[in-house]
Amino acid sequence: MQFKLEYKGMAKGTGRRIAEARAKVKLNQSELARAMGVTPQAVQQWEEGLTSPRGNRIGKLADLLQVTPSWIQFGTEPAPGNGANGNGVNGSSTDQKRAEIFELLALMNEEQLDRIKQMAISLRDSSID
């Protein structure tokens, strides 16, 4: 249950970042919704942190907002000089791996995320023994 609460908190940060980026590219919610192929209500719910875009919508949203998928979801920035969409080579392989992990996690549903959490707890607990 605690994980789900943390995940919901992440959605609120994601929503703020979507709204901020949308304003920077001078799109209103209806324009972004039309470009994404969703309803304006869906965009409003994303920005309010009630829901989050999932799967391939994250990549499309990042392209439209001229940011990286990991920035939308987690606030992580690309290394300087990579361009708005972060398609260049990151400053370190650790940063690249972290961004890839975040992007893969974004594709998972809550059941899969809970399974990953349980596996991580199990690994942590076994290393304590």
Side-chain angles (χ1 to χ4, degrees):
M1 186 66 165
Q2 181 182 2
F3 180 70
K4 289 182 182 177
L5 292 175
E6 291 170 8
Y7 184 76
K8 293 290 185 192
M10 288 171 42
K12 291 183 189 274
T14 298
R16 283 191 298 271
R17 286 186 292 276
I18 292 170
E20 176 186 327
R22 181 180 55 75
K24 284 185 180 179
V25 297
K26 297 180 173 42
L27 289 174
N28 64 39
Q29 287 181 342
S30 294
E31 293 166 333
L32 180 59
R34 194 173 311 112
M36 290 290 299
V38 299
T39 65
Q41 291 80 9
V43 173
Q44 181 180 17
Q45 288 179 348
W46 295 344
E47 291 186 2
E48 290 176 359
L50 300 174
T51 62
S52 293
R54 295 261 184 186
N56 62 358
R57 284 193 176 138
I58 294 289
K60 185 175 182 178
L61 184 60
D63 287 344
L64 288 167
L65 299 180
Q66 300 173 10
V67 297
T68 63
S70 60
W71 182 83
I72 289 174
Q73 296 172 295
F74 307 102
T76 57
E77 297 286 342
N82 281 349
N85 64 6
N87 287 333
V89 176
N90 275 345
S92 78
S93 62
T94 302
D95 290 342
Q96 179 66 30
K97 288 176 185 173
R98 183 177 295 124
E100 288 176 27
I101 289 169
F102 288 150
E103 289 176 28
L104 289 172
L105 288 171
L107 298 173
M108 296 180 175
N109 61 38
E110 285 194 43
E111 182 180 318
Q112 292 167 320
L113 290 168
D114 285 341
R115 185 168 175 222
I116 294 286
K117 178 186 176 205
Q118 292 305 315
M119 291 169 66
I121 290 169
S122 176
L123 281 172
R124 181 198 64 199
D125 292 348
S126 68
S127 68
I128 294 173
D129 295 338

